[in-house]
Amino acid sequence: MSEHPASAADEAMMRLALEAGRSVEGRTGDNPPVGCVVARGGRIVATGATQPPGGSHAEVMAIRAAEAAGMDIHEADVFVTLEPCTFTGRTPPCAALLIRKRPRRVVVAIRDPHPRVRGAGIAALREAGIEVVEGVLAADVRAFLHAWVARFDGA
C-alpha cells in the first residue's frame, strides 16, 4: 500500500471512476466493469469504462479521451477502480500502456485478484518509477466488483 493516506480529492475522483464502471455494468462480458478517470490539478479531463469483450479497457478509453482533449498524460493522475492488467488477452496490457504514457501517478482502489495479475500491475508501475496509491475507496469498489473478486477467491 502507499504510505500516503487518501485525500478527499482522491476519494472524489475514485467515486467518479466507480460511477464510470457502474455505467457499463452488465455490458462487459467476462471482464469486470472497471472505471477510470484522468485528472489534472483536481479537474476531470476524461473518463473511461471497460467496453464489451474485445473492446478497450477503462484505462485505454480514458487516456484516448484525455489525449483527444489535448492532455499530456504525464501531467495527469489516473484513477482506476481495479489494478491495471499485465497480460495480453483480447487486448494489450493496461499496465504497459500506463508505463509508456507515464502519468504523474496512478491511484488504484483494489488489486486485481486474477491469477495473472495479483499485484503485478502495481509492481510494474512502481518499478517504472510511477507513483501508485492503493486502497482509495477499496471497500466500495470491492463491494461493486464482488462477483469478479469472488470468482478468484482461493484460485
Side-chain angles (χ1 to χ4, degrees):
M1 295 289 229
S2 170
E3 54 283 340
H4 306 292
S7 70
D10 285 352
E11 289 183 2
M13 291 297 171
M14 190 60 76
R15 280 192 203 297
L16 294 171
L18 180 56
E19 287 308 310
R22 285 179 196 211
S23 75
V24 295
E25 187 174 15
R27 298 193 315 244
T28 60
D30 60 349
N31 288 327
V34 175
C36 183
V37 169
V38 175
R40 180 176 177 203
R43 302 187 89 189
I44 300 163
V45 176
T47 62
T50 304
Q51 299 301 292
S56 297
H57 289 182
E59 298 94 324
V60 174
M61 298 301 293
I63 288 170
R64 274 188 199 149
E67 288 178 338
M71 165 59 62
D72 186 347
I73 298 302
H74 81 265
E75 299 172 353
D77 294 331
V78 175
F79 297 82
V80 62
T81 55
L82 186 68
E83 172 184 16
C85 61
T86 53
F87 65 94
T88 300
R90 291 179 292 246
T91 62
C94 295
L97 171 68
L98 288 163
I99 290 167
R100 278 195 319 279
K101 297 296 183 176
R102 306 210 52 81
R104 191 174 75 86
R105 69 187 179 125
V106 177
V107 181
V108 175
I110 64 171
R111 288 187 177 212
D112 190 338
H114 190 288
R116 294 177 70 188
V117 183
R118 288 195 179 151
I122 289 168
L125 292 168
R126 286 182 172 149
E127 284 174 23
I130 298 170
E131 178 185 354
V132 178
V133 177
E134 293 182 65
V136 177
L137 293 187
D140 293 351
V141 171
R142 190 173 311 285
F144 172 63
L145 294 176
H146 62 87
W148 179 256
V149 172
R151 182 174 168 188
F152 298 107
D153 275 348

